[in-house]
Amino acid sequence: MKSAESVRQVVRQAQALGVKIVSGYDASTPTTQGQNAREIVALQRSGLPALEALRAATSRAAELLGLSEHVGALEKGRYADLIAVAGDPLTDITEVQRVRFVMKGGGIVRDELTPSARSGKPEESPAQPPEASPSR
């Protein structure tokens, strides 16, 4: 097993050579599924700046897989899979291990950030303009 310092050295060398580093968490058992954030944290602890560690799991991974026009960025027409955390992962990369909001395919599947979602009560919607009635 490599020491932490030798891993940091490899990361530094890869960066210096312009190697595109991507996250590729390989869950070897069902109990380790969904632990991708561990690799992002490990990349940062190995010397990758936090922003680059985040890119390794998002836009850079999409680029490597040839999927950049479909995933890896928040833009109209792309798949809307995203997470949100309460803190700043650029300051504390371990925030990615404390996911508070998940959107999958454009639908919210977890929401611990919106007050109404936490209380179980529906949030009041802003007034909507009346629908236009068809011309006769």
Side-chain angles (χ1 to χ4, degrees):
M1 187 166 180
K2 292 186 176 189
S3 73
E5 185 49 43
S6 65
V7 171
R8 282 190 285 276
Q9 184 178 359
V10 169
V11 169
R12 280 192 300 271
Q13 287 175 335
Q15 283 185 289
L17 293 170
V19 173
K20 293 179 181 179
I21 299 172
V22 299
S23 175
Y25 188 80
D26 185 16
S28 58
T29 67
T31 57
T32 58
Q33 289 290 334
Q35 301 295 317
N36 306 57
R38 287 181 175 178
E39 182 164 345
I40 298 169
V41 172
L43 285 170
Q44 190 269 332
R45 289 182 177 163
S46 296
L48 211 56
L51 181 58
E52 290 304 310
L54 291 168
R55 285 181 177 151
T58 56
S59 58
R60 191 118 332 105
E63 179 185 342
L64 180 71
L65 293 170
L67 298 172
S68 293
E69 62 187 69
H70 303 290
V71 299
L74 295 175
E75 295 176 5
K76 185 176 180 175
R78 294 189 183 211
Y79 294 108
D81 295 352
L82 63 100
I83 66 160
V85 297
D88 180 359
L90 297 178
T91 303
D92 177 6
I93 196 70
T94 65
E95 283 290 334
V96 298
Q97 295 176 309
R98 295 181 291 282
V99 174
R100 307 276 307 276
F101 178 92
V102 177
M103 180 178 281
K104 176 79 175 141
I108 297 170
V109 295
R110 180 179 186 172
D111 186 353
E112 296 174 11
L113 295 175
T114 306
S116 63
R118 289 192 309 261
S119 69
K121 297 177 185 174
E123 192 171 318
E124 289 188 34
S125 303
Q128 298 293 320
E131 291 185 31
S133 51
S135 306
R136 291 186 186 200

